[in-house]
Amino acid sequence: MKIKVAISTAILGLLVLSSSLSIATSSPDNIFLDKNARFHPVISQLGMVVSQEAIASQVGADILEAGGNAIDAAVATGFALAVTLPRAGNLGGGGFMLVYLADKNKTIAIDYREMAPMGANKDMFLDPQGKVDNQKARFSAQSSGVPGTVGGLLYALDEYGSLSIEEVIKPAIKLASQGFMINHDLSDSLHLSSKRLHSHKASKRYFYKENGDNYLPGDVFIQSDLSQTLSRIAEQGRSGFYAGKTADLIVSQMKRSNGLITLKDLANYRVVERQPVCGSYRQHRLCAMPPPSSGGIHLIQMLNILENFDLKKMGHNSSAYIHHLVEAMRSSYADRSLYLGDPDFTPVPVNQLIDKAYAKTLSEQINSQHARISKDVYPGLDKWISSEVTESEETTHFSVWDKQGNIVTNTYTLNFAYGNGIAVEGAGFLLNNEMDDFSAKPGSANGYGLIGGAANAIQPKKRPLSSMTPTILFNSHNKPVLATGSPGGSTIITIALQMILNSTDFNMGIAEATAMPRIHHQWLPDAVYYENGISPDTLKNLKSLGHHVSSKPRVLGSTQSISRKGNNLAGSADPRRQGASAIPQKTK
């Protein structure tokens, strides 16, 4: 019997009427969308930009209309988000960019993750008793890694773009210097973070009115110092950030706040172009970020495990389906805790972790009738390693697809919302707190509850492990059909997993795939997190299987995705966070 369950408008926004197919199964505890309700994706036969903030999406679309390619538009969007979405868009953070070059049928990965300063050491966040000082690890100036965003965006533009630096940064400079209208999302976000941001003089001055009051929706937000910083980048390129006045301002802020970043750290920052990690799932192929992101490896590993089960027969979001997803997640996150780190410092057994034979052994550990207990699940790769191998919730994602078929899917972050809350006086931007993504102590949890080991220990010039998972899915003819990614800290990988499963096993369009309620499990803590829309019967059945189900729903991520079917691009901006927008290119 089919049971219709309303999808919470708090998560999914307003449903609009359409005559699309319903998504239904015979599973009695499964939720499905009413055949008369769905989100309309944005359709285009030209290019498309989808991001978490509408103004930045429009900036990217305008660049496409001006003749820029997907890389030009992505770089313009990235700089614009540094102005319009300051809690996650950034100059002072870092991230990962996956680029598909249509004329070469080639996918590349650009790693612009932050690096630990030379003054960092493995015990820097331990107190005299040897315990992790989370306040220092997350909210001090020492929590800041050397920023990579400016280097990464400029590297992508120099190597694969077609327009000049001045052309792609000009819109961001204008937004900062002339201002833009504050929306409800930004006003609410600044209000919620006011206590932390008010504790730093420059942050209070930059993000609140002269009397300290919050900006209200409709107010115009001008950022003059940020405009000057962006102008220096436009005029001087990389040297406009990693040297000269901006670098001096960063180092002066470090000295005032007892931080570690020096002029030499900034000068030594390097972007790394890496081979993406790629795998197959049923009739599809996918590529995603390699280490120091854990996203690609464990996305492929989970898909390899789940390939051994008939998920479609179980029914979408049924208790049987979610049970198998959780058990695959449990195994993958256990492996993540031991084997993943910066490949420039620690050998990472990539091929072994994404080996289908290894995944088969993990699938055989799944009992369809009962949940495992996480404390009894250990990293399981040891016997598979050959003798040659030794061993943000407030992130933001955007996707761009141009009319030539080039694709960019990019995730970047300050880590927490507004990073560590410390703005660089005179430069107008916030610093990251990415040093918390290292393992301050083996076995200790970071701000997202993720456990790490020696492979992710703090070391000078090392990049912290990440969950960011920009992903491109290809069909059986090796043609790209989906670009996706999400913020969400430790949940990013499992969100990408469910987007792919929705698109492949259940043949959902991009709007349905985005709208469907999500779940998450990360080994430790041993808990199943879920969104509104998972039926009470399903939750009850999961508990009967032995799962520890969270006591209340939460919002999981914010995917910004583009799919292609035939000659049409379909963009879907996830309404789980206000202000997201898919903007098509309107003119050739």
Side-chain angles (χ1 to χ4, degrees):
M1 178 180 69
K2 296 179 181 178
I3 301 174
K4 296 184 180 180
V5 180
I7 298 175
S8 170
T9 56
I11 291 180
L12 300 180
L14 294 174
L15 292 174
V16 294
L17 296 180
S18 175
S19 59
S20 65
L21 288 173
S22 65
I23 302 167
T25 76
S26 60
S27 177
D29 59 353
N30 187 56
I31 110 159
F32 63 99
L33 290 177
D34 190 306
K35 67 181 180 180
N36 292 318
R38 61 167 279 180
F39 295 102
H40 277 308
V42 175
I43 303 296
S44 175
Q45 290 189 343
L46 298 173
M48 180 82 67
V49 180
V50 187
S51 84
Q52 197 175 317
E53 201 285 316
I55 296 173
S57 292
Q58 186 64 61
V59 165
D62 289 345
I63 290 293
L64 291 178
E65 292 182 20
N69 64 20
I71 295 85
D72 299 317
V75 173
T77 301
F79 279 116
L81 284 167
V83 181
T84 62
L85 192 74
R87 68 178 182 267
N90 67 85
L91 300 184
F96 299 105
M97 180 185 290
L98 203 66
V99 179
Y100 174 73
L101 303 171
D103 60 343
K104 298 179 180 178
N105 191 27
K106 180 182 180 182
T107 306
I108 60 161
I110 299 174
D111 171 3
Y112 60 96
R113 184 71 159 145
E114 301 87 343
M115 297 171 66
M118 288 300 295
N121 67 81
K122 66 181 181 66
D123 298 326
M124 62 185 287
F125 295 132
L126 301 184
D127 64 19
Q129 289 73 44
K131 296 182 179 179
V132 178
D133 182 343
N134 287 322
Q135 184 67 26
K136 187 177 181 182
R138 298 169 189 175
F139 301 111
S140 74
Q142 291 189 25
S143 69
S144 296
V146 182
T149 291
V150 173
L153 295 181
L154 295 185
Y155 176 91
L157 184 68
D158 290 343
E159 295 293 324
Y160 304 106
S162 63
L163 301 181
S164 69
I165 298 175
E166 292 85 357
E167 288 174 289
V168 299
I169 301 185
K170 184 178 179 180
I173 295 172
K174 183 177 180 180
L175 286 167
S177 62
Q178 298 183 13
F180 63 94
M181 192 174 294
I182 292 273
N183 60 20
H184 285 275
D185 176 59
L186 180 53
S187 177
D188 291 346
S189 175
L190 286 170
H191 177 70
L192 289 171
S193 297
S194 61
K195 183 177 180 180
R196 181 157 63 93
L197 294 177
H198 273 223
S199 65
H200 301 286
K201 182 180 177 181
S203 301
K204 180 180 179 181
R205 180 165 70 86
Y206 286 139
F207 298 106
Y208 300 89
K209 296 179 179 180
E210 287 188 16
N211 63 359
D213 285 353
N214 193 54
Y215 284 104
L216 300 177
D219 288 340
V220 175
F221 185 32
I222 295 174
Q223 301 169 81
S224 299
D225 284 355
L226 179 59
S227 171
Q228 292 301 311
T229 298
L230 289 165
S231 295
R232 287 191 290 274
I233 297 169
E235 294 165 5
Q236 304 165 33
R238 179 188 168 94
S239 296
F241 186 86
Y242 293 98
K245 182 175 180 178
T246 302
D248 289 340
L249 290 171
I250 294 171
V251 173
S252 294
Q253 186 65 54
M254 287 289 126
K255 291 177 179 177
R256 283 192 298 272
S257 304
N258 196 32
L260 299 179
I261 298 172
T262 66
L263 288 174
K264 186 175 181 180
D265 288 321
L266 291 165
N268 287 340
Y269 181 81
R270 293 292 179 268
V271 176
V272 182
E273 185 172 313
R274 303 186 188 275
Q275 289 293 323
V277 58
C278 299
S280 64
Y281 178 69
R282 307 204 195 279
Q283 302 302 313
H284 290 77
R285 188 174 73 89
L286 69 149
C287 290
M289 284 305 302
S293 172
S294 62
I297 286 177
H298 295 300
L299 173 61
I300 292 169
Q301 183 185 34
M302 287 186 285
L303 288 167
N304 285 345
I305 294 170
L306 293 169
E307 198 171 38
N308 293 284
F309 303 99
D310 188 345
L311 301 180
K312 187 174 183 180
K313 185 176 180 180
M314 294 176 188
H316 187 265
N317 276 357
S318 68
S319 56
Y321 174 77
I322 293 175
H323 169 71
H324 285 78
L325 262 61
V326 166
E327 293 302 324
M329 294 171 185
R330 196 192 309 270
S331 292
S332 292
Y333 278 80
D335 279 352
R336 183 189 189 277
S337 71
L338 183 61
Y339 303 120
L340 270 290
D342 184 343
D344 296 336
F345 287 76
T346 303
V348 179
V350 176
N351 292 333
Q352 291 86 349
L353 285 165
I354 65 173
D355 185 89
K356 287 185 181 290
Y358 173 54
K360 178 67 173 175
T361 69
L362 295 178
S363 73
E364 290 169 352
Q365 297 172 19
I366 297 175
N367 183 335
S368 63
Q369 302 301 315
H370 203 278
R372 293 177 291 175
I373 300 172
S374 285
K375 68 180 180 64
D376 295 333
V377 176
Y378 300 95
L381 191 59
D382 291 348
K383 67 179 182 179
W384 286 86
I385 299 178
S386 68
S387 58
E388 290 90 32
V389 181
T390 58
E391 264 310 60
S392 308
E393 297 274 335
E394 279 299 346
T395 302
T396 192
H397 182 86
F398 55 88
S399 297
V400 183
W401 203 313
D402 68 25
K403 62 184 180 181
Q404 289 80 28
N406 302 303
I407 303 168
V408 173
T409 177
N410 183 94
T411 313
Y412 72 157
T413 185
L414 291 167
N415 198 24
F416 288 5
Y418 303 101
N420 57 14
I422 302 172
V424 177
E425 181 68 56
F429 63 86
L430 288 153
L431 294 166
N432 68 80
N433 60 341
E434 293 292 355
M435 294 293 287
D436 183 57
D437 275 359
F438 283 113
S439 297
K441 181 180 181 180
S444 65
N446 70 4
Y448 298 101
L450 287 169
I451 304 297
N456 192 38
I458 301 171
Q459 191 173 343
K461 300 181 74 173
K462 192 175 183 180
R463 299 167 197 256
L465 188 59
S466 172
S467 295
M468 290 183 274
T469 317
T471 302
I472 299 175
L473 183 71
F474 300 83
N475 64 17
S476 58
H477 302 292
N478 203 31
K479 299 295 184 182
V481 292
L482 174 67
T484 191
S486 178
S490 59
T491 70
I492 292 173
I493 311 172
T494 59
I495 291 166
L497 171 73
Q498 288 163 92
M499 283 294 294
I500 289 173
L501 294 176
N502 290 350
S503 300
T504 56
D505 289 57
F506 296 94
N507 198 31
M508 296 183 193
I510 192 69
E512 290 91 345
T514 300
M516 296 305 286
R518 300 165 182 155
I519 62 97
H520 172 72
H521 195 286
Q522 61 184 49
W523 181 52
L524 294 174
D526 192 349
V528 179
Y529 299 101
Y530 64 94
E531 290 188 320
N532 275 324
I534 303 295
S535 79
D537 283 347
T538 295
L539 298 176
K540 182 179 178 180
N541 287 350
L542 289 170
K543 292 175 183 177
S544 72
L545 288 169
H547 290 287
H548 302 287
V549 178
S550 177
S551 60
K552 59 182 180 180
R554 57 186 288 186
V555 176
L556 298 175
S558 177
T559 55
Q560 311 300 330
S561 309
I562 304 173
S563 66
R564 184 175 195 119
K565 188 172 184 179
N567 293 323
N568 289 331
L569 295 178
S572 179
D574 198 324
R576 286 169 173 83
R577 301 191 187 185
Q578 296 179 23
S581 183
I583 306 290
Q585 177 186 345
K586 296 178 181 178
T587 59
K588 295 183 179 180

PDB file of all heavy atoms in Angstrom, residues 301 335 338-339 348-355 358 362 378-386 389 391:
ATOM      1  N   GLN A 301      33.919   3.992  -2.700  1.00  0.00           N
ATOM      2  CA  GLN A 301      33.900   2.802  -1.855  1.00  0.00           C
ATOM      3  C   GLN A 301      32.476   2.430  -1.446  1.00  0.00           C
ATOM      4  O   GLN A 301      32.077   1.256  -1.517  1.00  0.00           O
ATOM      5  CB  GLN A 301      34.753   3.047  -0.608  1.00  0.00           C
ATOM      6  CG  GLN A 301      34.853   1.827   0.307  1.00  0.00           C
ATOM      7  CD  GLN A 301      35.608   2.127   1.583  1.00  0.00           C
ATOM      8  OE1 GLN A 301      35.544   3.239   2.117  1.00  0.00           O
ATOM      9  NE2 GLN A 301      36.341   1.145   2.092  1.00  0.00           N
ATOM     10  N   ASP A 335      37.170   3.287   7.751  1.00  0.00           N
ATOM     11  CA  ASP A 335      38.407   3.306   6.971  1.00  0.00           C
ATOM     12  C   ASP A 335      38.975   4.724   6.873  1.00  0.00           C
ATOM     13  O   ASP A 335      40.197   4.925   6.927  1.00  0.00           O
ATOM     14  CB  ASP A 335      38.157   2.760   5.564  1.00  0.00           C
ATOM     15  CG  ASP A 335      38.155   1.238   5.519  1.00  0.00           C
ATOM     16  OD1 ASP A 335      38.488   0.610   6.539  1.00  0.00           O
ATOM     17  OD2 ASP A 335      37.821   0.681   4.454  1.00  0.00           O
ATOM     18  N   LEU A 338      41.489   5.999   9.576  1.00  0.00           N
ATOM     19  CA  LEU A 338      42.854   5.476   9.699  1.00  0.00           C
ATOM     20  C   LEU A 338      43.725   5.754   8.482  1.00  0.00           C
ATOM     21  O   LEU A 338      44.905   6.080   8.619  1.00  0.00           O
ATOM     22  CB  LEU A 338      42.807   3.964   9.947  1.00  0.00           C
ATOM     23  CG  LEU A 338      44.160   3.274  10.162  1.00  0.00           C
ATOM     24  CD1 LEU A 338      44.871   3.845  11.386  1.00  0.00           C
ATOM     25  CD2 LEU A 338      43.965   1.766  10.318  1.00  0.00           C
ATOM     26  N   TYR A 339      43.148   5.654   7.294  1.00  0.00           N
ATOM     27  CA  TYR A 339      43.979   5.599   6.100  1.00  0.00           C
ATOM     28  C   TYR A 339      44.137   6.921   5.352  1.00  0.00           C
ATOM     29  O   TYR A 339      45.002   7.035   4.489  1.00  0.00           O
ATOM     30  CB  TYR A 339      43.415   4.560   5.121  1.00  0.00           C
ATOM     31  CG  TYR A 339      43.289   3.187   5.703  1.00  0.00           C
ATOM     32  CD1 TYR A 339      42.060   2.546   5.781  1.00  0.00           C
ATOM     33  CD2 TYR A 339      44.408   2.522   6.204  1.00  0.00           C
ATOM     34  CE1 TYR A 339      41.939   1.276   6.320  1.00  0.00           C
ATOM     35  CE2 TYR A 339      44.296   1.258   6.751  1.00  0.00           C
ATOM     36  CZ  TYR A 339      43.058   0.639   6.805  1.00  0.00           C
ATOM     37  OH  TYR A 339      42.949  -0.621   7.349  1.00  0.00           O
ATOM     38  N   VAL A 348      48.580   7.118   0.781  1.00  0.00           N
ATOM     39  CA  VAL A 348      47.168   6.775   0.928  1.00  0.00           C
ATOM     40  C   VAL A 348      46.851   5.629  -0.024  1.00  0.00           C
ATOM     41  O   VAL A 348      47.058   5.751  -1.235  1.00  0.00           O
ATOM     42  CB  VAL A 348      46.267   7.989   0.613  1.00  0.00           C
ATOM     43  CG1 VAL A 348      44.797   7.609   0.753  1.00  0.00           C
ATOM     44  CG2 VAL A 348      46.604   9.161   1.535  1.00  0.00           C
ATOM     45  N   PRO A 349      46.348   4.502   0.486  1.00  0.00           N
ATOM     46  CA  PRO A 349      46.098   3.328  -0.363  1.00  0.00           C
ATOM     47  C   PRO A 349      44.834   3.479  -1.204  1.00  0.00           C
ATOM     48  O   PRO A 349      43.842   2.755  -1.012  1.00  0.00           O
ATOM     49  CB  PRO A 349      45.975   2.197   0.650  1.00  0.00           C
ATOM     50  CG  PRO A 349      45.434   2.850   1.877  1.00  0.00           C
ATOM     51  CD  PRO A 349      46.057   4.218   1.914  1.00  0.00           C
ATOM     52  N   VAL A 350      44.860   4.412  -2.144  1.00  0.00           N
ATOM     53  CA  VAL A 350      43.674   4.740  -2.929  1.00  0.00           C
ATOM     54  C   VAL A 350      43.142   3.521  -3.672  1.00  0.00           C
ATOM     55  O   VAL A 350      41.950   3.186  -3.587  1.00  0.00           O
ATOM     56  CB  VAL A 350      43.985   5.878  -3.931  1.00  0.00           C
ATOM     57  CG1 VAL A 350      42.772   6.152  -4.813  1.00  0.00           C
ATOM     58  CG2 VAL A 350      44.420   7.136  -3.197  1.00  0.00           C
ATOM     59  N   ASN A 351      43.997   2.852  -4.426  1.00  0.00           N
ATOM     60  CA  ASN A 351      43.534   1.737  -5.261  1.00  0.00           C
ATOM     61  C   ASN A 351      42.939   0.614  -4.428  1.00  0.00           C
ATOM     62  O   ASN A 351      41.977  -0.040  -4.853  1.00  0.00           O
ATOM     63  CB  ASN A 351      44.689   1.206  -6.111  1.00  0.00           C
ATOM     64  CG  ASN A 351      45.134   2.205  -7.167  1.00  0.00           C
ATOM     65  OD1 ASN A 351      44.345   3.039  -7.620  1.00  0.00           O
ATOM     66  ND2 ASN A 351      46.401   2.140  -7.554  1.00  0.00           N
ATOM     67  N   GLN A 352      43.517   0.381  -3.260  1.00  0.00           N
ATOM     68  CA  GLN A 352      42.994  -0.685  -2.404  1.00  0.00           C
ATOM     69  C   GLN A 352      41.638  -0.312  -1.824  1.00  0.00           C
ATOM     70  O   GLN A 352      40.727  -1.144  -1.735  1.00  0.00           O
ATOM     71  CB  GLN A 352      43.992  -0.997  -1.283  1.00  0.00           C
ATOM     72  CG  GLN A 352      45.274  -1.655  -1.769  1.00  0.00           C
ATOM     73  CD  GLN A 352      46.305  -0.628  -2.213  1.00  0.00           C
ATOM     74  OE1 GLN A 352      46.015   0.552  -2.357  1.00  0.00           O
ATOM     75  NE2 GLN A 352      47.535  -1.083  -2.429  1.00  0.00           N
ATOM     76  N   LEU A 353      41.473   0.959  -1.432  1.00  0.00           N
ATOM     77  CA  LEU A 353      40.215   1.386  -0.826  1.00  0.00           C
ATOM     78  C   LEU A 353      39.060   1.373  -1.819  1.00  0.00           C
ATOM     79  O   LEU A 353      37.905   1.143  -1.433  1.00  0.00           O
ATOM     80  CB  LEU A 353      40.379   2.787  -0.230  1.00  0.00           C
ATOM     81  CG  LEU A 353      41.167   2.850   1.082  1.00  0.00           C
ATOM     82  CD1 LEU A 353      41.574   4.281   1.393  1.00  0.00           C
ATOM     83  CD2 LEU A 353      40.369   2.261   2.243  1.00  0.00           C
ATOM     84  N   ILE A 354      39.347   1.616  -3.102  1.00  0.00           N
ATOM     85  CA  ILE A 354      38.265   1.627  -4.097  1.00  0.00           C
ATOM     86  C   ILE A 354      38.214   0.326  -4.893  1.00  0.00           C
ATOM     87  O   ILE A 354      37.507   0.244  -5.899  1.00  0.00           O
ATOM     88  CB  ILE A 354      38.388   2.831  -5.051  1.00  0.00           C
ATOM     89  CG1 ILE A 354      39.655   2.745  -5.895  1.00  0.00           C
ATOM     90  CG2 ILE A 354      38.336   4.143  -4.277  1.00  0.00           C
ATOM     91  CD1 ILE A 354      39.737   3.827  -6.982  1.00  0.00           C
ATOM     92  N   ASP A 355      38.920  -0.700  -4.425  1.00  0.00           N
ATOM     93  CA  ASP A 355      38.913  -2.000  -5.084  1.00  0.00           C
ATOM     94  C   ASP A 355      37.553  -2.678  -4.887  1.00  0.00           C
ATOM     95  O   ASP A 355      37.044  -2.777  -3.773  1.00  0.00           O
ATOM     96  CB  ASP A 355      40.029  -2.870  -4.509  1.00  0.00           C
ATOM     97  CG  ASP A 355      40.158  -4.188  -5.225  1.00  0.00           C
ATOM     98  OD1 ASP A 355      40.904  -4.268  -6.213  1.00  0.00           O
ATOM     99  OD2 ASP A 355      39.492  -5.154  -4.780  1.00  0.00           O
ATOM    100  N   TYR A 358      37.593  -5.676  -2.499  1.00  0.00           N
ATOM    101  CA  TYR A 358      37.575  -5.268  -1.088  1.00  0.00           C
ATOM    102  C   TYR A 358      36.166  -4.867  -0.676  1.00  0.00           C
ATOM    103  O   TYR A 358      35.674  -5.244   0.400  1.00  0.00           O
ATOM    104  CB  TYR A 358      38.552  -4.118  -0.862  1.00  0.00           C
ATOM    105  CG  TYR A 358      38.493  -3.524   0.523  1.00  0.00           C
ATOM    106  CD1 TYR A 358      38.622  -4.317   1.659  1.00  0.00           C
ATOM    107  CD2 TYR A 358      38.311  -2.153   0.712  1.00  0.00           C
ATOM    108  CE1 TYR A 358      38.566  -3.776   2.932  1.00  0.00           C
ATOM    109  CE2 TYR A 358      38.261  -1.601   1.975  1.00  0.00           C
ATOM    110  CZ  TYR A 358      38.385  -2.415   3.082  1.00  0.00           C
ATOM    111  OH  TYR A 358      38.336  -1.874   4.344  1.00  0.00           O
ATOM    112  N   LEU A 362      33.409  -6.192   2.331  1.00  0.00           N
ATOM    113  CA  LEU A 362      32.684  -5.322   3.263  1.00  0.00           C
ATOM    114  C   LEU A 362      31.175  -5.533   3.141  1.00  0.00           C
ATOM    115  O   LEU A 362      30.446  -5.505   4.146  1.00  0.00           O
ATOM    116  CB  LEU A 362      33.035  -3.864   2.994  1.00  0.00           C
ATOM    117  CG  LEU A 362      34.494  -3.457   3.258  1.00  0.00           C
ATOM    118  CD1 LEU A 362      34.709  -1.994   2.897  1.00  0.00           C
ATOM    119  CD2 LEU A 362      34.892  -3.707   4.708  1.00  0.00           C
ATOM    120  N   TYR A 378      35.880  -1.946  12.663  1.00  0.00           N
ATOM    121  CA  TYR A 378      37.214  -1.379  12.614  1.00  0.00           C
ATOM    122  C   TYR A 378      37.635  -1.160  11.156  1.00  0.00           C
ATOM    123  O   TYR A 378      37.099  -1.803  10.247  1.00  0.00           O
ATOM    124  CB  TYR A 378      38.227  -2.321  13.287  1.00  0.00           C
ATOM    125  CG  TYR A 378      37.917  -2.601  14.728  1.00  0.00           C
ATOM    126  CD1 TYR A 378      37.197  -3.745  15.098  1.00  0.00           C
ATOM    127  CD2 TYR A 378      38.318  -1.720  15.723  1.00  0.00           C
ATOM    128  CE1 TYR A 378      36.893  -4.003  16.412  1.00  0.00           C
ATOM    129  CE2 TYR A 378      38.018  -1.977  17.055  1.00  0.00           C
ATOM    130  CZ  TYR A 378      37.304  -3.116  17.398  1.00  0.00           C
ATOM    131  OH  TYR A 378      37.003  -3.356  18.715  1.00  0.00           O
ATOM    132  N   PRO A 379      38.603  -0.244  10.927  1.00  0.00           N
ATOM    133  CA  PRO A 379      39.161  -0.145   9.575  1.00  0.00           C
ATOM    134  C   PRO A 379      39.614  -1.528   9.117  1.00  0.00           C
ATOM    135  O   PRO A 379      40.323  -2.225   9.839  1.00  0.00           O
ATOM    136  CB  PRO A 379      40.344   0.808   9.762  1.00  0.00           C
ATOM    137  CG  PRO A 379      39.969   1.634  10.955  1.00  0.00           C
ATOM    138  CD  PRO A 379      39.232   0.699  11.866  1.00  0.00           C
ATOM    139  N   GLY A 380      39.212  -1.914   7.912  1.00  0.00           N
ATOM    140  CA  GLY A 380      39.376  -3.316   7.538  1.00  0.00           C
ATOM    141  C   GLY A 380      40.312  -3.600   6.399  1.00  0.00           C
ATOM    142  O   GLY A 380      40.255  -4.681   5.806  1.00  0.00           O
ATOM    143  N   LEU A 381      41.181  -2.660   6.067  1.00  0.00           N
ATOM    144  CA  LEU A 381      41.952  -2.790   4.844  1.00  0.00           C
ATOM    145  C   LEU A 381      43.251  -3.569   4.989  1.00  0.00           C
ATOM    146  O   LEU A 381      43.835  -3.984   3.994  1.00  0.00           O
ATOM    147  CB  LEU A 381      42.281  -1.387   4.312  1.00  0.00           C
ATOM    148  CG  LEU A 381      42.857  -1.259   2.905  1.00  0.00           C
ATOM    149  CD1 LEU A 381      41.922  -1.849   1.871  1.00  0.00           C
ATOM    150  CD2 LEU A 381      43.127   0.207   2.591  1.00  0.00           C
ATOM    151  N   ASP A 382      43.721  -3.801   6.211  1.00  0.00           N
ATOM    152  CA  ASP A 382      45.087  -4.282   6.427  1.00  0.00           C
ATOM    153  C   ASP A 382      45.511  -5.402   5.487  1.00  0.00           C
ATOM    154  O   ASP A 382      46.551  -5.330   4.849  1.00  0.00           O
ATOM    155  CB  ASP A 382      45.266  -4.751   7.878  1.00  0.00           C
ATOM    156  CG  ASP A 382      45.216  -3.576   8.843  1.00  0.00           C
ATOM    157  OD1 ASP A 382      45.282  -2.434   8.365  1.00  0.00           O
ATOM    158  OD2 ASP A 382      45.098  -3.808  10.045  1.00  0.00           O
ATOM    159  N   LYS A 383      44.704  -6.424   5.372  1.00  0.00           N
ATOM    160  CA  LYS A 383      45.135  -7.570   4.555  1.00  0.00           C
ATOM    161  C   LYS A 383      45.088  -7.268   3.065  1.00  0.00           C
ATOM    162  O   LYS A 383      45.575  -8.061   2.258  1.00  0.00           O
ATOM    163  CB  LYS A 383      44.266  -8.779   4.864  1.00  0.00           C
ATOM    164  CG  LYS A 383      42.811  -8.652   4.427  1.00  0.00           C
ATOM    165  CD  LYS A 383      42.046  -9.922   4.760  1.00  0.00           C
ATOM    166  CE  LYS A 383      40.598  -9.842   4.297  1.00  0.00           C
ATOM    167  NZ  LYS A 383      39.870 -11.089   4.592  1.00  0.00           N
ATOM    168  N   TRP A 384      44.506  -6.128   2.682  1.00  0.00           N
ATOM    169  CA  TRP A 384      44.419  -5.789   1.265  1.00  0.00           C
ATOM    170  C   TRP A 384      45.555  -4.887   0.816  1.00  0.00           C
ATOM    171  O   TRP A 384      45.695  -4.594  -0.362  1.00  0.00           O
ATOM    172  CB  TRP A 384      43.070  -5.090   0.984  1.00  0.00           C
ATOM    173  CG  TRP A 384      41.960  -6.067   1.020  1.00  0.00           C
ATOM    174  CD1 TRP A 384      41.258  -6.479   2.110  1.00  0.00           C
ATOM    175  CD2 TRP A 384      41.447  -6.814  -0.088  1.00  0.00           C
ATOM    176  NE1 TRP A 384      40.335  -7.416   1.763  1.00  0.00           N
ATOM    177  CE2 TRP A 384      40.421  -7.643   0.418  1.00  0.00           C
ATOM    178  CE3 TRP A 384      41.746  -6.865  -1.448  1.00  0.00           C
ATOM    179  CZ2 TRP A 384      39.696  -8.499  -0.394  1.00  0.00           C
ATOM    180  CZ3 TRP A 384      41.021  -7.707  -2.253  1.00  0.00           C
ATOM    181  CH2 TRP A 384      40.013  -8.516  -1.725  1.00  0.00           C
ATOM    182  N   ILE A 385      46.358  -4.379   1.783  1.00  0.00           N
ATOM    183  CA  ILE A 385      47.448  -3.482   1.413  1.00  0.00           C
ATOM    184  C   ILE A 385      48.648  -4.298   0.972  1.00  0.00           C
ATOM    185  O   ILE A 385      49.123  -5.172   1.686  1.00  0.00           O
ATOM    186  CB  ILE A 385      47.834  -2.583   2.604  1.00  0.00           C
ATOM    187  CG1 ILE A 385      46.628  -1.722   3.011  1.00  0.00           C
ATOM    188  CG2 ILE A 385      49.006  -1.698   2.258  1.00  0.00           C
ATOM    189  CD1 ILE A 385      46.891  -0.838   4.193  1.00  0.00           C
ATOM    190  N   SER A 386      49.174  -3.982  -0.216  1.00  0.00           N
ATOM    191  CA  SER A 386      50.321  -4.717  -0.736  1.00  0.00           C
ATOM    192  C   SER A 386      51.576  -4.332   0.025  1.00  0.00           C
ATOM    193  O   SER A 386      51.620  -3.330   0.725  1.00  0.00           O
ATOM    194  CB  SER A 386      50.500  -4.409  -2.227  1.00  0.00           C
ATOM    195  OG  SER A 386      50.901  -3.074  -2.403  1.00  0.00           O
ATOM    196  N   VAL A 389      52.964  -0.683  -0.061  1.00  0.00           N
ATOM    197  CA  VAL A 389      52.251   0.454   0.530  1.00  0.00           C
ATOM    198  C   VAL A 389      52.409   0.427   2.038  1.00  0.00           C
ATOM    199  O   VAL A 389      52.171  -0.584   2.678  1.00  0.00           O
ATOM    200  CB  VAL A 389      50.744   0.395   0.179  1.00  0.00           C
ATOM    201  CG1 VAL A 389      50.022   1.583   0.785  1.00  0.00           C
ATOM    202  CG2 VAL A 389      50.569   0.373  -1.335  1.00  0.00           C
ATOM    203  N   GLU A 391      51.676   2.347   5.452  1.00  0.00           N
ATOM    204  CA  GLU A 391      50.643   3.256   5.851  1.00  0.00           C
ATOM    205  C   GLU A 391      50.894   4.323   6.934  1.00  0.00           C
ATOM    206  O   GLU A 391      51.454   3.963   7.947  1.00  0.00           O
ATOM    207  CB  GLU A 391      49.518   2.419   6.378  1.00  0.00           C
ATOM    208  CG  GLU A 391      48.477   2.175   5.291  1.00  0.00           C
ATOM    209  CD  GLU A 391      47.942   3.339   4.500  1.00  0.00           C
ATOM    210  OE1 GLU A 391      48.721   3.983   3.874  1.00  0.00           O
ATOM    211  OE2 GLU A 391      46.752   3.651   4.523  1.00  0.00           O
TER     212      GLU A 391
END
